[in-house]
């Protein structure tokens, strides 16, 4: 018995992968003690925007036909293409390929004496130093890979939907 790969199953696989990824990020933060940097938080935006759209698309899949379903699927694919860019950019900052934002890479302006009283309240997490590498990739690198996988699944779903 073989299961037929339908556009809905592909979109559902992308949704499951995205949910597992954002839940994993929260788990590493809450239970693992990892503190996200500014670029890490930016990389979560595609999940916060794209996953609700994809979940609603799944919920209303039988009612959505043709162009609306295709447009929503491609919209989410574009959102995760943006996510792949954000992850690749951050990974490039970590590898020193290009500079990151001055707010989290240690190349910003100096501090004055008036700032010294508040230093304990502010913790700047550097964007250019990964907290961990898993199989050679940082969280940012893995986010880029996963985002590309999601774009692939959603693109495949769109192609299959157009073919019939």
């Amino acid at each position: 018995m073989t299961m037929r790969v339908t556009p809905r199953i592909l979109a559902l696989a992308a949704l499951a992968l995205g949910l597992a990824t954002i839940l994993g990020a929260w788990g590493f933060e809450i239970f693992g003690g990892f503190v996200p940097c500014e670029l890490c938080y930016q990389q979560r935006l595609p999940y916060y925007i794209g996953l609700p759209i994809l979940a609603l698309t799944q919920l209303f899949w039988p009612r959505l036909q043709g162009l609306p379903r295709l447009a929503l699927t491609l919209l989410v694919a574009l959102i995760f293409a943006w996510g792949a860019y954000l992850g690749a950019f951050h990974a490039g900052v970590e590898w020193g390929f290009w500079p990151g934002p001055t707010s989290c890479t240690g190349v910003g302006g100096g501090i004055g004496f008036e700032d010294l009283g508040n230093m304990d309240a502010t913790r700047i997490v550097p964007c250019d130093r990964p907290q961990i590498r898993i199989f050679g990739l940082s969280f940012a690198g893995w986010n880029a890979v996963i985002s590309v996988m999601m774009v692939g699944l959603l693109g495949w779903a769109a192609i299959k939907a157009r073919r019939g």
Side-chain angles (χ1 to χ4, degrees):
M1 182 169 123
T2 60
M3 184 173 79
R4 185 170 171 255
V5 178
T6 65
R8 186 174 190 180
I9 289 173
L10 292 167
L12 188 60
L15 178 63
L17 180 59
L19 285 172
T21 302
I22 196 65
L23 289 173
W26 291 338
F28 274 103
E29 181 179 352
I30 295 167
F31 303 112
F34 290 87
V35 179
C37 71
E38 177 183 327
L39 291 177
C40 293
Y41 282 123
Q42 288 179 13
Q43 289 173 76
R44 293 181 182 188
L45 291 175
Y47 293 90
Y48 297 155
I49 298 167
L51 292 181
I53 295 170
L54 193 52
L56 287 171
T57 303
Q58 283 293 314
L59 182 66
F60 295 107
W61 193 273
R63 293 184 190 169
L64 292 172
Q65 298 296 320
L67 191 57
R69 185 191 301 165
L70 181 64
L72 288 170
T73 302
L74 290 174
L75 173 64
V76 177
L78 285 173
I79 290 169
F80 279 97
W82 169 50
Y85 161 77
L86 292 172
F89 175 78
H90 188 182
V93 169
E94 292 171 341
W95 286 105
F97 295 153
W98 42 76
T102 57
S103 59
C104 64
T105 55
V107 293
I111 62 170
F113 286 110
E114 65 276 1
D115 299 318
L116 293 177
N118 198 26
M119 285 189 70
D120 288 335
T122 304
R123 178 172 179 208
I124 297 174
V125 179
C127 296
D128 55 355
R129 283 180 265 150
Q131 296 181 48
I132 189 173
R133 290 195 188 273
I134 302 169
F135 300 115
L137 292 178
S138 65
F139 290 137
W142 281 112
N143 181 51
V145 169
I146 291 167
S147 293
V148 166
M149 291 170 60
M150 292 184 64
V151 170
L153 286 166
L154 294 167
W156 188 13
I159 290 168
K160 285 186 78 66
R162 288 288 296 157
R163 288 187 182 159

